[in-house]
Amino acid sequence: MDSLLTDYPDDAQIYYKRGLVNFYLNDRQAIVADFVKCRELGFDQEKDFISNVVSKKYLVKQFTGKQGDQLTHGKDSTQIEIH
């Protein structure tokens, strides 16, 4: 896919497909980079899926297994809000 992007650097569909591959490989940085790029290039399909995957709440859930509003921090257990 990288060679395709060399030949077609403005093809949003290729960034989306590569983002899906990285999603299944669990490469978080690459997922976000590809999905953000495909949206910048005008890719307007799967908007909800892409928004979900690149959101901070999704990141928190992937790494902790908890929702953002369930996280606590420090001795006083202050809740952390993630937007």
Side-chain angles (χ1 to χ4, degrees), residues 57 68-69 71 79-83:
K57 284 185 179 183
D69 57 0
L71 292 177
Q79 289 188 334
I80 298 172
E81 287 187 34
I82 307 222
H83 302 279

Side-chain angles (χ1 to χ4, degrees), residues 27-82:
D27 185 344
R28 178 77 186 143
Q29 288 181 323
I31 296 165
V32 172
D34 285 339
F35 283 171
V36 167
K37 184 66 174 179
C38 80
R39 288 170 75 184
E40 287 173 358
L41 292 171
F43 189 79
D44 63 353
Q45 300 170 16
E46 303 295 340
K47 287 180 184 179
D48 291 339
F49 172 71
I50 292 172
S51 293
N52 239 353
V53 171
V54 300
S55 75
K56 291 179 184 177
K57 284 185 179 183
Y58 180 84
L59 177 63
V60 168
K61 187 175 181 182
Q62 287 298 103
F63 285 107
T64 66
K66 298 180 180 182
Q67 299 296 331
D69 57 0
Q70 294 175 331
L71 292 177
T72 57
H73 176 69
K75 294 179 184 177
D76 62 354
S77 297
T78 305
Q79 289 188 334
I80 298 172
E81 287 187 34
I82 307 222

Side-chain angles (χ1 to χ4, degrees), residues 6-24:
T6 300
D7 294 335
Y8 306 99
D10 296 326
D11 190 326
Q13 187 91 17
I14 298 171
Y15 283 99
Y16 175 72
K17 300 278 185 185
R18 189 173 72 173
L20 287 177
V21 170
N22 289 319
F23 179 81
Y24 290 107

